[in-house]
Structure formats: structure tokens, C-alpha cells
Amino acid sequence: VVKTFLDFNRPVELQLREVDLGHLAKEVATLVHPEARRHSVEVAVEAEQDVFIRGDRDLLKQAMLNVVANGVESMKDGGLAKIQVQRAGDDCLVGISDEGPGIPPEIRDKIFNLYFTTKVKGSGIGLAMTFRAVQLHNGTIDFSSEPGRGSIFWLRFPASGRDPLETTGTAQERIEG
């Protein structure tokens, strides 16, 4: 517990580069697919092209994976988990939704706290780490939840300012690349 706490609070040296959030969302969907299949959950990705931020690819992938995995695990009777990626003015948005039981109102203000968990075998590190990763990228994270109808988390990041017309290759080549 002490080691985790110290690791969590240690300064992070970000490895910044251009990150295509749509491509990253597809990678996360692929990573979570085996677990989703065990829960009878379909994971869908809806991504606009050329949604880039400047960020640490690995940290962002882990942050998205934490939220998607939580959503998949929450759907005991199957359902749909969706990752949406889009531009919104000068920002890039990643929406991650599930059809789980929702987050009870009495714990909503605690879910990003380190070591807070509702899972029997949970560590309480996932959403705290996601919150920190989003903050390190000058972003914000918010969510809405309705009991019995699921939750949606919105990760908002400043766009990189990259001009999609200056990129090389087709959008499909960049996705596969």
C-alpha cells in the first residue's frame, strides 16, 4: 500500500508526442475485448478522424482502459460499452459509456479518490490514476450516471493544434500505422 501510494505521488515524466485519440480508442477496445466477451459486452468505437492531442500515449491508453474496464465489469448481464472520440472546438473529447447499474449518488464524490473501490477485489487505483493522467494533460474528467441506466465519462483535452492537411498518408494508413 505504501509503495503504491509513493509511486502514485512520484512526479511523472511525460513522453509527449502527437496522439491520435481515435486510434488509441481502437487499441483500448482490442485490449478489453477478451474480458468484454466474458461479460457478454460489446465494445464499440465511434471516432472522428484526425482528433489529435499532444500527450503521453501510454499514460493516456491506461487512463482510457481503466474507465472502459470498469464499465465492462459493471455490466453483469451484458450490454454495450461505447468509446466516442470527437473534436469540440479547441478541445478533444473522449466519451466512455456503459449500460451498467450506474454510480449511486452517495459515492459519486468519492470515485476518483485513491483507494476508494466498490469491488471486492478492487484496488481503488484505476479511476484515481485516470484522474491524475487527465490532469497531467491539462484536461478534465467528468461523468454523469443514472441508476439502472449506466454511466458516461467525458475526458476533455486541449487539441494539439495539428493541421490534418499537413499529415502524411491517408487516415486509414495513420490508423493502421
Side-chain angles (χ1 to χ4, degrees):
V1 171
V2 172
K3 182 183 178 338
T4 302
F5 179 77
L6 292 173
D7 287 346
F8 187 85
N9 288 303
R10 180 174 289 126
V12 175
E13 187 174 324
L14 298 176
Q15 303 297 315
L16 297 177
R17 63 183 191 190
E18 294 294 314
V19 178
D20 182 335
L21 290 178
H23 186 247
L24 203 61
K26 291 174 185 171
E27 284 183 39
V28 167
T30 299
L31 285 171
V32 80
H33 180 75
E35 183 70 15
R37 190 173 39 206
R38 281 193 286 282
H39 287 267
S40 300
V41 172
E42 177 189 349
V43 179
V45 177
E46 295 176 3
E48 293 179 1
Q49 291 185 350
D50 300 318
V51 181
F52 289 92
I53 69 168
R54 187 138 178 85
D56 186 307
R57 191 174 198 292
D58 293 336
L59 195 58
L60 290 166
K61 182 169 27 175
Q62 186 63 55
M64 289 172 60
L65 183 61
N66 291 342
V67 178
V68 175
N70 281 354
V72 167
E73 290 173 19
S74 77
M75 291 186 273
K76 303 297 184 203
D77 299 320
L80 175 66
K82 192 183 320 181
I83 309 169
Q84 299 168 284
V85 178
Q86 63 193 48
R87 280 292 295 258
D90 291 335
D91 293 331
C92 298
L93 295 176
V94 178
I96 301 170
S97 61
D98 65 64
E99 296 175 336
I103 301 167
E106 62 272 12
I107 67 167
R108 290 183 185 171
D109 62 343
K110 301 175 188 173
I111 67 166
F112 296 115
N113 292 352
L114 187 59
Y115 301 124
F116 178 79
T117 185
T118 59
K119 299 177 189 177
V120 175
K121 294 185 178 182
S123 66
I125 296 172
L127 286 180
M129 181 270 175
T130 296
F131 185 85
R132 182 175 186 221
V134 170
Q135 284 189 323
L136 287 169
H137 288 85
N138 298 317
T140 60
I141 183 169
D142 198 6
F143 70 95
S144 62
S145 185
E146 191 174 329
R149 297 187 51 121
S151 303
I152 183 164
F153 284 77
W154 287 103
L155 289 66
R156 180 181 294 268
F157 304 99
S160 70
R162 177 185 179 130
D163 183 350
L165 299 175
E166 293 177 7
T167 60
T168 57
T170 65
Q172 186 63 34
E173 287 169 337
R174 287 193 304 278
I175 289 171
E176 293 171 354

